[in-house]
């Protein structure tokens, strides 16, 4: 899969250069990828890892993107209160 191959390249380069923000972004991409392909559990797991990295780095912009994606995931699960809390 082309999307996964690009994510893996991001992980490899980010690891090589010790670029934690890149690893967080890769986890966020994994989250979106798994959500798109219907694997909600893996999506939530990757999103949690991404948020942990973004919090550690005080990367508020990226954290807000992760939370927004999380809101969409909860919306798909039917938890609309949690969805709106995170998405808006």
């Amino acid at each position: 899969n082309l999307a996964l191959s690009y994510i893996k390249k991001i992980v490899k380069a980010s690891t090589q250069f010790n670029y934690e923000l890149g690893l967080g972004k890769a986890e966020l991409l994994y989250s979106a990828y798994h959500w798109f392909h219907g694997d909600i559990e893996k999506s939530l797991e990757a999103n949690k890892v991404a948020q942990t990295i973004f919090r550690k780095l005080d990367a508020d912009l990226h954290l807000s993107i992760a939370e927004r994606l999380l809101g969409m995931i909860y919306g798909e699960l039917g938890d609309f209160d949690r969805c709106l809390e995170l998405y808006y």
Side-chain angles (χ1 to χ4, degrees):
N1 182 310
L2 187 59
L4 279 179
S5 71
Y6 281 122
I7 297 170
K8 288 177 184 180
K9 287 179 184 183
I10 293 168
V11 170
K12 183 178 178 181
S14 295
T15 301
Q16 180 181 354
F17 294 105
N18 198 27
Y19 182 52
E20 287 186 77
L21 186 60
L23 291 172
K25 290 179 181 182
E27 288 295 333
L28 189 57
L29 290 170
Y30 275 131
S31 180
Y33 174 85
H34 290 303
W35 172 57
F36 183 76
H37 289 283
D39 193 337
I40 301 298
E41 189 171 321
K42 283 186 180 180
S43 178
L44 291 171
E45 202 173 288
N47 193 291
K48 183 177 181 179
V49 173
Q51 286 193 35
T52 299
I53 293 169
F54 297 149
R55 281 192 181 96
K56 177 184 171 189
L57 299 174
D58 290 322
D60 293 336
L61 173 64
H62 295 81
L63 181 59
S64 70
I65 294 167
E67 288 178 345
R68 197 161 192 181
L69 175 59
L70 192 58
M72 292 187 290
I73 294 167
Y74 279 116
E76 189 165 312
L77 291 172
D79 188 344
F80 300 112
D81 290 333
R82 184 81 171 125
C83 167
L84 291 173
E85 177 184 317
L86 291 163
Y87 195 72
Y88 290 105

